[in-house]
Amino acid sequence: MPGVEFSNGSIKIGGETVMKTYVDGRTSLFGDNPMEAIDHIKADDVVHIYAYDEDEHPEESNPNRRGRKQRVINIETKSRMIDSYDGVLFAGLGRTLGNNLEGHDSRYVGGGAINMYSDKWMLKTDVLDNNQNSNSTNPNTYLTTQQPGDKYITNRLADASVERKWIGTGDEAGYDSKLSFDYRIGRTETESKDYSVTDYLPSGSYGRRRYSAGRFSDDDLLSKSAKLLADWNSKSAGRLTASYQFNKSNGSSSDEEENVDDVDNVQNIMRLRHEANSDNIGHTAQISYQRNLGRHFSLIADTRVKALQSSSASLRSVFTERTERGLDIPENDKGTVASTSVTLQYDTLSYTTDDKGNKRGSMLNSYTLGVEIGWDGSTYDKIATDIATGQTDLINTYSFRNRMRNDKLSIGYMRNTSACMLMSTFAIRKATILDRRKD
């Protein structure tokens, strides 16, 4: 289609990003992501694709409202699609030529996906295992060759998403809601190796000098995430969205480096080693509410809480022919960030027309007034111990506790036309220290 661009998982038509997709005039079976419909509707089933602008909240629209518009598309199909089922399995083998990492010449990929879409349910599952540094379950991704470089990366992942939708009809028209749950687990292993040698010409100070450096690293990261989202939308009451997200990761890394300075066959060797393990847990909860107030005004309220907890232990060692030095450094970090904001928005929309009265372009002016109250609390402890003497290394030992309150008042303006967008914001922020301790 002329004027259509695909990039980074999004669609642009006429320079505007598509925000929503309809199938046969109905809310898309494939959810809010426009790319889902493009990827899963067969090309020979498409009759027409229409692109146009609609009110950002059509369920609350009225003839007098002149608010924000968004670009949408409507895909008209031959089958008048009621549901959709599809799946894919793929596997591949290959070999790398000229790889710098010994024992990692073979390349492989295997995975699959199963998807189910209907008016009420959406189910998506993906499984993938490969050593080509890719997280995509699209088979076309693996039909090209590329230079492997000095890193060997293995990715394994599995994720599942389920969504239940309720759409009001008849007397309940203008009401819709959904409940969704997503879970993902993945593991990434990275191995890299680098070696270099530099020879220097003889001089008055020495006859022969060579400097060589080698480095080997090995990283392993296991991550898990889950998200629960509930969305309730009413023509008369507005939209209420609540979500909770959980993230957890466990990682380990090992770096070894060797430097050799050879001057007239007299060698000085130094080895550095860094080992680290980390555990991170995060919780994020958010509640937001949005409602149109009359012809031009809208109200947006948002509350979110984010809690993070991380712990790590690292060992840093330096070896020479005569000495051995090193530090054992455990670290613990906890933090909670919470904020509540209320924003009042005023929108005006106007169009430019040609001599015949046809619309040629649009101009949206938005004015916002926002108030935000936030709290930030964190503690951090880092204790370093010399592995040779057992004594505390004061330079690398540190701890603090911090409690703050942040208040912000902001005024914003945005002008969005068919050709460009202009944004400006003026804000006043006040930070109040409630408790602070540093050791």
Side-chain angles (χ1 to χ4, degrees):
M1 292 175 59
V4 178
E5 301 175 29
F6 294 89
S7 64
N8 299 322
S10 64
I11 312 171
K12 283 188 176 181
I13 298 180
E16 296 287 338
T17 300
V18 175
M19 304 303 295
K20 193 174 183 180
T21 303
Y22 295 98
V23 177
D24 297 320
R26 296 176 290 117
T27 301
S28 176
L29 304 173
F30 306 96
D32 296 330
N33 185 358
M35 286 300 298
E36 291 288 337
I38 299 296
D39 289 341
H40 292 92
I41 296 179
K42 296 180 179 180
D44 57 6
D45 192 30
V46 176
V47 179
H48 299 290
I49 298 179
Y50 302 96
Y52 54 93
D53 294 336
E54 71 170 14
D55 194 283
E56 190 174 12
H57 302 283
E59 72 283 347
E60 299 180 23
S61 62
N62 59 68
N64 296 320
R65 179 162 175 78
R66 299 176 65 84
R68 288 176 176 267
K69 298 288 184 178
Q70 62 180 4
R71 185 64 49 88
V72 302
I73 60 175
N74 179 28
I75 303 176
E76 184 179 323
T77 64
K78 298 176 184 177
S79 61
R80 294 295 173 179
M81 185 176 292
I82 299 176
D83 50 36
S84 173
Y85 304 87
D86 62 71
V88 61
L89 292 173
F90 56 91
L93 291 174
R95 186 174 178 83
T96 299
L97 301 178
N99 189 12
N100 292 332
L101 291 171
E102 298 179 1
H104 296 312
D105 294 334
S106 299
R107 298 286 164 167
Y108 70 89
V109 60
I114 298 175
N115 305 291
M116 182 192 77
Y117 303 93
S118 70
D119 282 340
K120 295 182 179 180
W121 290 94
M122 180 177 70
L123 174 65
K124 297 176 11 179
T125 59
D126 298 284
V127 178
L128 179 67
D129 186 358
N130 75 94
N131 62 355
Q132 299 188 50
N133 189 24
S134 178
N135 291 321
S136 173
T137 55
N138 184 349
N140 295 328
T141 304
Y142 306 98
L143 296 179
T144 59
T145 59
Q146 57 184 352
Q147 179 67 25
D150 296 327
K151 287 188 177 182
Y152 177 80
I153 302 177
T154 301
N155 283 321
R156 299 180 178 92
L157 66 89
D159 62 65
S161 303
V162 60
E163 180 180 296
R164 174 67 162 91
K165 295 178 287 187
W166 293 267
I167 300 176
T169 58
D171 295 338
E172 296 183 353
Y175 162 83
D176 64 86
S177 61
K178 70 176 181 180
L179 182 66
S180 65
F181 177 75
D182 303 283
Y183 180 79
R184 180 185 179 95
I185 181 171
R187 184 173 184 176
T188 302
E189 298 173 278
T190 305
E191 187 177 319
S192 64
K193 183 179 180 181
D194 183 42
Y195 184 75
S196 63
V197 177
T198 305
D199 289 314
Y200 296 88
L201 296 174
S203 67
S205 301
Y206 53 82
R208 173 182 178 273
R209 184 181 179 186
R210 167 175 287 187
Y211 178 79
S212 61
R215 182 174 181 179
F216 176 80
S217 64
D218 188 5
D219 301 321
D220 189 355
L221 178 64
L222 175 66
S223 59
K224 303 175 183 178
S225 65
K227 183 176 182 179
L228 179 65
L229 183 143
D231 183 80
W232 180 79
N233 188 25
S234 171
K235 181 177 181 180
S236 59
R239 178 184 291 272
L240 178 67
T241 304
S243 65
Y244 167 76
Q245 184 167 346
F246 170 78
N247 297 282
K248 183 178 181 180
S249 65
N250 309 97
S252 63
S253 64
S254 174
D255 289 283
E256 296 183 20
E257 185 175 346
E258 181 180 87
N259 300 310
V260 180
D261 195 358
D262 186 345
V263 180
D264 293 334
N265 296 321
V266 177
Q267 292 185 344
N268 291 312
I269 302 175
M270 182 177 66
R271 296 184 179 91
L272 297 88
R273 183 175 178 84
H274 181 207
E275 298 179 353
N277 295 283
S278 63
D279 297 288
N280 302 281
I281 298 176
H283 305 267
T284 304
Q286 181 177 359
I287 298 177
S288 60
Y289 175 73
Q290 184 169 352
R291 183 179 181 182
N292 290 328
L293 305 175
R295 183 178 179 182
H296 296 284
F297 288 94
S298 59
L299 178 69
I300 305 168
D302 181 85
T303 298
R304 64 182 67 192
V305 179
K306 186 175 184 179
L308 300 174
Q309 179 179 346
S310 64
S311 61
S312 63
S314 62
L315 179 64
R316 301 175 183 174
S317 306
V318 179
F319 303 91
T320 64
E321 294 180 342
R322 293 177 293 273
T323 62
E324 176 183 349
R325 294 176 293 138
L327 293 176
D328 184 14
I329 309 176
E331 300 177 53
N332 293 284
D333 188 6
K334 295 181 180 179
T336 301
V337 179
S339 65
T340 298
S341 64
V342 177
T343 302
L344 183 64
Q345 184 169 296
Y346 177 81
D347 297 325
T348 61
L349 180 66
S350 59
Y351 293 94
T352 58
T353 59
D354 56 20
D355 297 337
K356 298 181 180 180
N358 299 318
K359 294 180 180 179
R360 304 291 296 176
S362 63
M363 181 174 64
L364 172 67
N365 291 292
S366 295
Y367 306 85
T368 58
L369 174 64
V371 177
E372 180 179 337
I373 301 175
W375 296 266
D376 187 350
S378 58
T379 59
Y380 179 78
D381 296 294
K382 176 181 177 181
I383 302 175
T385 304
D386 192 303
I387 60 176
T389 63
Q391 297 180 348
T392 301
D393 185 282
L394 299 179
I395 296 178
N396 293 284
T397 298
Y398 183 74
S399 69
F400 73 87
R401 182 180 65 196
N402 188 48
R403 303 285 187 274
M404 293 186 65
R405 173 175 169 174
N406 296 294
D407 301 323
K408 186 175 79 169
L409 175 66
S410 62
I411 301 173
Y413 169 73
M414 181 187 73
R415 169 173 287 189
N416 192 356
T417 68
S418 304
C420 64
M421 181 173 66
L422 173 67
M423 298 179 64
S424 62
T425 303
F426 174 77
I428 300 175
R429 182 186 293 273
K430 178 184 178 183
T432 305
I433 299 175
L434 304 177
D435 180 25
R436 175 170 288 180
R437 178 177 61 85
K438 178 179 179 182
D439 297 324

